[in-house]
Structures are given as structure tokens and as C-alpha cells.
Amino acid sequence: MQIQSPKGTRDILPSEVQIWQWVEETARSVFGTYGYQEIRTPIFESTDLFVRGVGDTTDIVEKEMYTFNDRGNRSVSLRPEGTASVVRAMLQNRLMDGASVLKFYYIGQMFRYDRPQAGRYREFWQVGIEAFGADSPAIDAEIIAAGHQFFSTLGIKDLTLHLNSIGDPACRPKYVEDLTAYAKAHLDELCGKCYARHERNPMRILDCKESGCRAVVANAPLLSNYLCDPCRENFDMVKCYLDGLEIDYHEDPYIVRGLDYYSRTAFEFTAGGLGAQNAIGGGGRYDYLAEEIGGASTPGIGFALGMDRIIIALDAQDVAVPTSAPVDVYLSVLGDAAMPIALKLAQDLRENGIKTDLEFKGRGLRAQMRTANKLNAQYVVMIGEDEINSAAATVRDMGSGDQQSVAFEQLPEVMREKIDR
Ligand code: HAM
């Protein structure tokens, strides 16, 4: 039997790759204007990083990691997310030494062994940004603005920003205690998953989508009523800055996030056209994560956006994506004697930045024209016996059908001019 790609993974084919590249270029350019620099971290890390960073009671760590022992018997895991790795890299490379605020972005695959469905994959792509060193609510607002600007530059519509504060170690424990007691009183109404996690991770009940749990949650105590004064003031400032930036938000007390490292600001972006998996990105503040993985206390905040979902939304929303044909010029090679000349001319055109392909199979003109059409070539440059004798190629404009003769040595210059027009 022919081998297939693993369940939950996909090939990104050349026909789709331009849209991916455009999303990546937009991310680099928008986040670049906010002062973010790219960082690349390993695709696998020591398992302990995610156990301590993301949290051992989260679904991600409990059930979704691709964990294995390497040949040296060390437990490693494919990264399920990027934040813990970026924090590790920041600490390990002492990047904070002498720095005020550090800003990084990353683009790459993440891996989670979840049940695949539309918009949910086992290998998926994120673009994320992380900022270290500042605990000012202004940077929370700035981060959210960067995400917002990225989506609007792409042309994503129907975007909602869900915003919450999930408190800090001063105020959250009392809330968790009361929420656990409340959940205990409603155990028989909870879904199996929430039943199992009501003690270990009770806050996840708040964002469960099951109808029974939603009914229980409707009357559950809310963290917003438990925030300590510093957390409340911080949240008010984040909202005030967002108002100043004219960024709409929806205060959503049920946004708790699926990773343990958050404190204070937590947010998610949802978009239309995505069905059930409509979270197109999410993030928040994580001021205790650096310490959690053994480093010096360093405030941090960031988000990650799901690129697979962004691309689904762009398609569902019929957003016009800039594309270009894979080749500008197709060189038609008619007869063996034409090949050395065609190879050289193709090289001259390419050195002039013209995307050029040529016929390698010695087929007839008609078949070569079909290929040129398929590649969307603007021009076909024909080299046959007559052309060799006159040292001039026949250039055909595939749009108008007009043909002209161009001396070989003038070809790059003439084609450059035509394509620039
Ligand atoms: P997350 O909410 O787990 O956060 O993931 C961020 C985004 O990645 C989601 O909103 C979604 O668009 C996409 N995503 C997650 N899982 C899948 C999947 N299985 N298939 C397709 N897309 C998926 C984080 O990962 C945090 N590290 C974000 C962060 C950065 N917080 C602070 N800094």
C-alpha cells in the first residue's frame, strides 16, 4: 500500500504556498514595525520544559504531547507551543542582561495529539510574538494592537477580541477554592472531562463548550469579582489604553486559556468563517513563567495566532490574496541544436531577475504552448532553426498573441522592459 501522511498532518502544496508566504511576509512586516525580531528555537525540547512551563494538569501536557525518549534515553517532546521555548532561549542566552524590553516573533510548526477536525491539526503552524521585561499594561495594549493590525492588514473580517483578566497569585487562589467548591456541588451536571478535572484544573470548566457545563458555568462565581486591587487597576489600564488605540474588545469572563502560565491579561481573537474552531489566536501575560522554568523573575506577555485557521478564514471570507505566476517567460526549445542556446538565454534572463522555465522534453510546439499556458507565462520565447540562423528569438505575448523578433543579446533587456510594464 502507498504510504500516506500521518493523521492530522497536511502537505502545503505549491498551489497554496503563495498565500502562506504572503501571511508570513505580512507577519514579518507588521511585527517588524513594532520592533519585534525573529527568533528560531528547536522543534523539540526537553519534556520538562513543557511540563513545568505549560503545566502538568493541562490537556496539552497530559494528553497531547508527542513525547519520546531519544537514543540517549532523555525524554524530549515536539513543541506543542512556542512560548516556553522562547522563554528558555531568553534565559539560557542571557538575552535580558543589560536589556530593557526584548521583543521576539517566531513562525513555525507546533504539534498536539488532538482529535483532528476542520481547523484542528496535529501539526499546525503558529506565528507568535513575545515581549519580556515590562509589566506595564501599556505593553499589553501594544501587543493586542499588533495582533489587531496584522489581522486588518490581511483583510480578515468579523474579528472579535475577547478580553479578560485572570488575576495573579495574590487573588486567584481564593477564587479557585470557591470555584472548586461550586463545581463539587454540581458534579453530576458536568461532562466527563470537566468532572475529571474539577479539582486539578477547575478553571477550564469555564471555557468548556458542552451544554451541561455551560449551564453550570452560567451561575458560577466569576474571577472578575475576586480581582485584587492591583490586578483590577492593571486591567482598567489595559482597557483604557485599548480605548485610546480605538481597538474594540469584548470583556469575556470565560476566557481562561488552556495553558497554566498566564496571569492578569488573557485574550483570544475569534473570526468568522471558521466553524467550531473559531479561535484564530490567543495569548496573555505570563509574569511567573521564567521563574517556573528555573530562571530569574522576568515579566512577559505574548500571543500566538493559528496560521492554518487564518488561511481557512481568508478563503472562507473571499479575501483577495496577491499572487504571481510561477514563471514570467517560457522558453520553447525546438530541436536539439536549440538546447545549448536556450539554456544560456534562460540563464541570462534569470540573472536579470526574470522567472524563466524551459522545455526539457523535446516535445512539439503545441505541447510546449500548453505547458506555458498552464504556468501562466506572460511570454513564450521560441528558439528553433530560423531563430538560430538569425541569432534572434521569436517572442510571443501570450495575452495578445503578438509576436516579434528580438536579437539574442538584447533579449534580457527587452524582456525586463516588457515585464516591468
Ligand atoms: P493557544 O491558544 O494554545 O496559545 O494557541 C494559539 C492559537 O494556535 C490558537 O488560537 C489557534 O488559532 C492555534 N491552534 C492551537 N491548536 C491548534 C491546532 N491543533 N490546529 C490548528 N491551530 C491550532 C498558545 O499556544 C500560546 N503559546 C500563546 C501565547 C504566546 N501566549 C503567550 N504568548
Side-chain angles (χ1 to χ4, degrees):
M1 213 173 64
Q2 200 181 313
I3 296 173
Q4 305 285 308
S5 61
K7 192 173 169 188
T9 69
R10 294 166 311 145
D11 302 306
I12 298 169
L13 301 174
S15 57
E16 309 159 87
V17 93
Q18 282 198 9
I19 179 167
W20 284 81
Q21 288 173 343
W22 175 65
V23 169
E24 288 168 18
E25 280 157 22
T26 306
R28 290 179 199 285
S29 123
V30 171
F31 300 144
T33 65
Y34 282 78
Y36 286 81
Q37 290 181 291
E38 184 171 2
I39 186 163
R40 301 186 186 195
T41 61
I43 266 182
F44 64 89
E45 297 267 5
S46 150
T47 300
D48 210 30
L49 174 67
F50 303 116
V51 172
R52 281 162 60 184
V54 175
D56 56 357
T57 64
T58 58
D59 283 353
I60 293 177
V61 168
E62 271 192 341
K63 299 182 216 141
E64 296 172 5
M65 284 212 296
Y66 282 86
T67 297
F68 55 97
N69 280 359
D70 70 7
R71 286 170 193 274
N73 219 22
R74 303 170 199 90
S75 178
V76 293
S77 297
L78 299 186
R79 61 182 184 196
E81 61 106 46
T83 311
S85 301
V86 177
V87 174
R88 180 205 47 71
M90 178 269 296
L91 294 168
Q92 185 175 334
N93 296 287
R94 302 181 152 278
L95 301 179
M96 212 54 229
D97 287 4
S100 165
V101 172
L102 293 173
K103 292 174 162 183
F104 302 115
Y105 77 84
Y106 51 90
I107 297 175
Q109 290 106 312
M110 308 292 158
F111 305 85
R112 296 183 192 173
Y113 189 88
D114 202 348
R115 200 167 39 82
Q117 62 180 83
R120 193 204 276 151
Y121 309 100
R122 289 182 175 168
E123 181 194 40
F124 59 98
W125 288 75
Q126 284 186 343
V127 46
I129 70 178
E130 315 288 351
F132 300 110
D135 59 8
S136 159
I139 202 156
D140 300 35
E142 193 209 47
I143 280 252
I144 290 172
H148 201 267
Q149 188 177 328
F150 171 66
F151 286 127
S152 67
T153 307
L154 289 178
I156 298 254
K157 296 179 280 276
D158 205 2
L159 187 75
T160 308
L161 165 62
H162 303 256
L163 185 68
N164 195 17
S165 170
I166 58 166
D168 68 6
C171 51
R172 197 165 43 208
K174 171 70 180 131
Y175 170 69
V176 171
E177 194 185 313
D178 288 4
L179 180 66
T180 310
Y182 174 82
K184 270 196 194 324
H186 294 85
L187 274 188
D188 46 356
E189 296 154 64
L190 296 177
C191 73
K193 215 168 165 184
C194 288
Y195 184 98
R197 66 187 172 193
H198 81 278
E199 261 181 342
R200 279 160 66 74
N201 203 350
M203 281 176 64
R204 286 315 303 276
I205 301 173
L206 296 179
D207 70 356
C208 181
K209 305 282 180 288
E210 296 291 330
S211 59
C213 298
R214 289 179 95 127
V216 173
V217 162
N219 295 312
L222 288 178
L223 184 46
S224 45
N225 297 324
Y226 287 71
L227 291 182
C228 56
D229 288 344
C231 282
R232 186 176 307 284
E233 280 157 27
N234 188 279
F235 193 35
D236 287 343
M237 285 308 293
V238 174
K239 289 184 283 185
C240 176
Y241 287 132
L242 287 175
D243 291 337
L245 291 167
E246 296 177 13
I247 292 174
D248 289 338
Y249 51 85
H250 163 64
E251 263 186 77
D252 186 339
Y254 301 117
I255 294 294
V256 294
R257 313 278 302 125
L259 306 96
D260 272 358
Y261 47 62
Y262 293 111
S263 57
R264 296 194 168 171
T265 307
F267 56 91
E268 270 174 22
F269 291 103
T270 57
L274 280 169
Q277 302 304 318
N278 67 346
I280 202 164
R285 184 163 273 291
Y286 48 83
D287 291 345
Y288 306 93
L289 176 54
E291 273 167 279
E292 210 61 61
I293 62 172
S297 165
T298 315
I301 178 159
F303 63 64
L305 313 176
M307 291 175 67
D308 308 77
R309 293 184 192 174
I310 289 171
I311 281 154
I312 294 171
L314 288 169
D315 187 45
Q317 299 183 0
D318 282 329
V319 175
V321 173
T323 55
S324 64
V327 301
D328 302 317
V329 170
Y330 192 77
L331 266 168
S332 165
V333 186
L334 301 160
D336 290 346
M339 185 49 95
I341 298 169
L343 269 179
K344 177 70 175 75
L345 286 174
Q347 189 165 325
D348 293 346
L349 291 170
R350 290 162 178 158
E351 282 169 1
N352 280 274
I354 298 169
K355 291 188 279 180
T356 307
D357 208 347
L358 67 156
E359 169 70 14
F360 286 106
K361 294 174 57 160
R363 296 174 303 166
L365 181 60
R366 199 184 272 260
Q368 299 195 30
M369 291 303 254
R370 264 202 306 275
T371 301
N373 262 323
K374 226 172 161 176
L375 291 170
N376 257 327
Q378 287 181 61
Y379 296 93
V380 168
V381 171
M382 289 175 251
I383 319 286
E385 212 181 307
D386 290 350
E387 285 79 7
I388 298 173
N389 290 336
S390 61
T394 304
V395 175
R396 181 182 174 89
D397 182 326
M398 295 297 277
S400 65
D402 293 348
Q403 293 196 173
Q404 76 180 96
S405 181
V406 178
F408 288 160
E409 73 268 21
Q410 281 171 357
L411 194 65
E413 195 188 325
V414 171
M415 295 315 296
R416 183 69 275 159
E417 209 173 286
K418 283 181 183 293
I419 284 156
D420 284 345
R421 252 192 276 131

